[in-house]
């Protein structure tokens, strides 16, 4: 009975249970054909009115005042229906209206999935609209985000992030996707390591290990199939060219495989 209950819970969380009624937004489906109209409608829907002085859409989320702007729109067609993956980025304004100025200070990330349904867009899933990511008060740039297929009819975001300190650079990919009607953190996969700032000229040998994360074109019918880590460069001659990154049904996250840890010199 306990195992049966756990299985039912996992099915519910993975969105495999019968779908609930769609939540409709006030955004016209026709807005998707005009980026300026689309972004204005989306930002107002989720954050509030545009503030000309701050040049952003201002809103209060979770008790915090946010200054948010459009970041990236990616659209895919699933079973004939256009699905829009919307990323919005901003920060919590300080007393002077500016953003935080420290290495460990993140920006604010809003993620929303919208589907064209009749005359208005339906809300498929969203995060808390104010997830902390990045550094120096900013979310990673637009080019750091990609929408990929995790499995059958299921897409989500990969977000690259790098951190340099005392001559060492570490990097990886944050994974975000929908479970039910919530967009959640699906794990962080380390992909890069180098000591470029602390090597050479008598300071020791330099190393550099770097992989990229790709979706698996041969993924199974599962909503969350394996991802693939593909080698870009490595100081290890025998580093594997590809490593599979599995999804844990128990943790509901992509797991960092030991083989990739070893390939990055960890």
């Amino acid at each position: 009975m306990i195992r049966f209950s756990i299985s039912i819970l996992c099915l519910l969380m993975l969105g495999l249970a019968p779908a609930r009624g769609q939540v409709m937004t006030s955004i016209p489906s026709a807005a998707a054909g005009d980026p300026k109209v689309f972004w204005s409608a989306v930002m107002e829907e989720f954050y509030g009115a545009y503030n000309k002085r701050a040049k952003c859409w201002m809103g209060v989320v979770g008790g915090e005042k946010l200054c948010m702007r459009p970041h990236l729109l990616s659209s895919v067609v699933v079973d004939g229906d256009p699905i829009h993956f919307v990323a919005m980025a901003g920060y919590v304004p300080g007393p002077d209206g500016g953003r935080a100025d420290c290495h460990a200070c993140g920006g604010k990330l809003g993620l929303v999935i919208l589907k064209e349904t009749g005359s208005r867009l339906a809300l498929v899933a969203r995060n808390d609209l104010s997830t902390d990511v990045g550094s120096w008060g900013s979310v990673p740039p637009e080019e750091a985000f990609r929408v990929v297929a995790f499995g059958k009819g299921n897409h989500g975001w990969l977000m690259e992030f790098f951190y340099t300190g005392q001559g060492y650079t570490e990097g990886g990919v944050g994974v975000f996707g929908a479970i039910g009607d919530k967009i959640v953190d699906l794990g962080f996969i380390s992909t890069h390591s180098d000591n470029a700032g602390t090597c050479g000229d008598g300071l020791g040998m330099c190393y550099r290990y770097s992989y990229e994360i790709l979706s698996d074109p041969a993924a199974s019918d599962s909503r969350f199939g394996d991802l693939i880590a593909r080698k870009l460069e490595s100081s290890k001659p025998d580093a594997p060219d590809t490593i599979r990154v599995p999804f844990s049904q128990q943790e509901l996250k992509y797991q960092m495989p030991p083989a990739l840890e070893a390939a990055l010199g960890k």
Side-chain angles (χ1 to χ4, degrees):
M1 180 59 72
I2 293 177
R3 291 181 180 177
F4 177 78
S5 298
I6 291 175
S7 297
I8 292 297
L9 177 61
C10 288
L11 287 173
L12 289 170
M13 295 186 72
L14 287 171
L16 301 180
R20 297 182 300 173
Q22 291 181 326
V23 176
M24 304 304 296
T25 70
S26 65
I27 306 168
S29 291
D34 186 326
K36 184 176 181 179
V37 172
F38 177 84
W39 276 118
S40 179
V42 168
M43 298 304 294
E44 289 185 8
E45 178 82 13
F46 295 102
Y47 292 104
Y50 182 73
N51 185 303
K52 292 184 178 180
R53 183 174 182 180
K55 296 182 179 180
C56 62
W57 282 261
M58 305 289 287
V60 177
V61 178
E64 292 183 304
K65 184 177 181 180
L66 303 181
C67 176
M68 302 293 292
R69 299 186 178 98
H71 203 55
L72 179 67
L73 170 63
S74 301
S75 300
V76 299
V77 176
V78 178
D79 296 329
D81 296 318
I83 310 293
H84 305 294
F85 292 77
V86 182
M88 299 159 284
Y91 57 95
V92 177
D96 62 351
R99 67 182 71 238
D101 188 24
C102 72
H103 206 168
C105 298
K108 293 292 185 177
L109 176 66
L111 297 173
V112 174
I113 300 175
L114 299 169
K115 179 180 179 180
E116 293 187 26
T117 305
S119 62
R120 290 184 293 161
L121 296 179
L123 176 62
V124 177
R126 47 158 277 192
N127 70 345
D128 61 6
L129 301 178
S130 62
T131 296
D132 290 306
V133 298
S135 60
W136 298 110
S138 297
V139 168
E142 175 185 334
E143 56 268 25
F145 288 80
R146 287 182 291 138
V147 170
V148 302
F150 294 143
K152 185 176 181 180
N154 184 33
H155 296 70
W157 291 267
L158 301 181
M159 181 197 76
E160 293 183 331
F161 180 69
F162 294 87
Y163 183 90
T164 300
Q166 298 181 339
Y168 296 88
T169 297
E170 301 289 332
V173 171
V175 188
F176 300 93
I179 293 182
D181 60 358
K182 307 293 184 185
I183 296 173
V184 298
D185 178 352
L186 295 175
F188 185 83
I189 307 164
S190 294
T191 59
H192 180 92
S193 181
D194 74 64
N195 66 339
T198 61
C199 66
D201 295 329
L203 296 177
M205 293 185 62
C206 296
Y207 65 79
R208 186 178 181 88
Y209 315 115
S210 190
Y211 281 73
E212 65 177 339
I213 301 299
L214 306 171
S215 58
D216 182 2
S220 67
D221 288 343
S222 170
R223 281 178 54 80
F224 292 98
D226 291 352
L227 294 173
I228 302 295
R230 184 173 68 183
K231 183 173 68 177
L232 296 176
E233 57 182 314
S234 178
S235 299
K236 293 184 176 183
D238 59 347
D241 291 329
T242 60
I243 300 170
R244 301 192 76 84
V245 181
F247 183 80
S248 169
Q249 299 288 344
Q250 289 74 36
E251 300 292 332
L252 299 179
K253 287 182 180 290
Y254 281 95
Q255 301 289 314
M256 182 69 183
L260 185 53
E261 293 267 11
L264 296 175
K266 299 180 179 180

